[in-house]
Amino acid sequence: MRFTSFLQDKQLTVALTGEIDHHCAKDYISSIASKIEVYTPQTCILDFQEVTFMDSSGIAVVINALRSMTRINGQLFLTGLNKQPMKVFRASGIDKLVEIKEAVS
Amino acid sequence: MKFENYMILEFPSKSANESFARAAVACFAAQLDPTMEELGDIRTAVSEAVTNCIVHAYPNDIGLITLRCRILKDNTLDIVIKDKGIGIPDLEQALKPMFTTGGFERSGMGFTIMESFMTSFSVTSQPGKGTSVHMRRKLQRRK
Ligand SMILES: Nc1ncnc2c1ncn2[C@@H]1O[C@H](COP(=O)(O)OP(=O)(O)OP(=O)(O)O)[C@@H](O)[C@H]1O
Ligand SMILES: [Mg+2]
């Protein structure tokens, strides 16, 4: 797992990278939760531009981030989704729970 | 012979093997000249089935996972992923979207994704004996 994050004007952006599966999802879930807890942002953006593959483990990453943001009355957005992760989100109906901005395709 | 080619893999239920398994199937499928989207669908379905063996079939120990891939005559990839783990007591319930016994790290969408990404999909399971997932994907022939 490798990710970068930055905070600007109460907006936390977390850029995920590589392949998201069960092997690395646990680390993503806890790292994102602690970033949100520390910064209490108004909005959190999960940037998937560098994500080359994702299975249902990625759905749990998003749902847990959504829970953390809901708890502090904030909003979650997804951005930069490539075709394969987008298809997984659509199949699972996550695209109806979380707003997806400017998907790549 | 009803199939053109095949391969069989056996590996322990370690999470590092999730990426290995989907990459191995993608490499094997390459001889069918799949599109990027077809390859993505196949890798996703394999990742789901193998992860289920690792997470659910052998929750407290390491067990064996067998993966068999065949190429059938009509440009179809046939995949069986098998474990000898705890099995599924209520299959009908397990197949429902959002049903999970896995807690906050799981979403209960694995079977739903396998079913929607593949041409055919079926599961057989015996509690205490293990589970077997059988999937097929017919690939478009490209000019
Ligand atoms: N190989 C298996 N051995 C034992 N139980 C299994 C196996 N595969 C699936 N199950 C059971 O079926 C349920 C549904 O599986 P499914 O893959 O749809 O969702 P999940 O694994 O719980 O979550 P997700 O795949 O979204 O991360 C699991 O929670 C588990 O109880
Ligand atoms: Mg699963």
Side-chain angles (χ1 to χ4, degrees):
Chain A
M1 182 200 70
R2 198 166 55 82
F3 79 95
T4 55
S5 67
F6 63 92
L7 185 75
Q8 193 179 29
D9 303 330
K10 288 243 145 211
Q11 176 170 299
L12 174 70
T13 303
V14 179
L16 314 176
T17 59
E19 306 201 337
I20 303 178
D21 60 12
H22 154 254
H23 186 61
C24 66
K26 202 182 212 153
D27 289 341
Y28 273 128
I29 290 173
S30 59
S31 310
I32 294 169
S34 64
K35 293 268 177 225
I36 292 173
E37 201 176 307
V38 169
Y39 297 123
T40 57
Q42 269 160 16
T43 55
C44 175
I45 296 178
L46 298 184
D47 184 351
F48 279 78
Q49 207 160 300
E50 301 291 322
V51 173
T52 51
F53 174 86
M54 186 194 92
D55 66 18
S56 64
S57 309
I59 300 170
V61 171
V62 171
I63 293 196
N64 281 283
L66 181 62
R67 273 199 203 115
S68 297
M69 287 308 292
T70 307
R71 203 173 296 132
I72 59 169
N73 294 315
Q75 270 189 304
L76 181 76
F77 299 103
L78 310 184
T79 180
L81 281 153
N82 292 305
K83 259 194 179 147
Q84 189 275 339
M86 189 65 211
K87 210 170 164 179
V88 173
F89 283 130
R90 284 226 178 88
S92 65
I94 284 289
D95 53 325
K96 293 182 192 83
L97 287 180
V98 183
E99 190 178 329
I100 296 173
K101 288 185 166 177
E102 41 182 311
V104 169
S105 46
Chain B
M1 209 165 68
K2 285 205 194 71
F3 50 91
E4 304 279 316
N5 198 1
Y6 75 96
M7 66 104 160
I8 296 171
L9 290 177
E10 187 182 82
F11 50 89
S13 58
K14 297 188 173 194
S15 61
N17 285 327
E18 291 158 7
S19 60
F20 164 70
R22 59 180 183 262
V25 172
C27 283
F28 183 74
Q31 59 197 291
L32 291 169
D33 193 23
T35 63
M36 282 297 284
E37 182 166 14
E38 286 169 336
L39 261 190
D41 291 354
I42 292 163
R43 291 172 78 221
T44 312
V46 168
S47 197
E48 295 300 343
V50 169
T51 301
N52 278 354
C53 301
I54 292 167
V55 175
H56 304 298
Y58 305 112
N60 305 313
D61 53 352
I62 299 289
L64 279 186
I65 301 170
T66 317
L67 191 164
R68 188 195 70 193
C69 254
R70 293 188 301 182
I71 290 171
L72 309 181
K73 283 216 163 98
D74 60 342
N75 225 38
T76 296
L77 189 68
D78 176 281
I79 304 169
V80 175
I81 293 168
K82 225 184 210 160
D83 65 69
K84 291 186 160 64
I86 62 170
I88 303 173
D90 186 342
L91 200 51
E92 197 185 325
Q93 183 185 44
L95 289 168
K96 284 192 180 129
M98 286 162 73
F99 174 82
T100 182
T101 56
F104 76 98
E105 280 174 43
R106 311 259 50 101
S107 60
M109 294 308 299
F111 282 143
T112 307
I113 288 169
M114 290 180 237
E115 189 165 24
S116 70
F117 282 31
M118 300 299 267
T119 316
S120 77
F121 160 83
S122 65
V123 191
T124 53
S125 189
Q126 257 188 297
K129 292 245 166 87
T131 303
S132 172
V133 172
H134 187 182
M135 309 185 273
R136 279 186 183 169
R137 178 64 190 254
K138 187 166 167 49
L139 302 170
Q140 301 303 313
R141 281 198 195 275
R142 288 197 285 174
K143 288 278 139 58

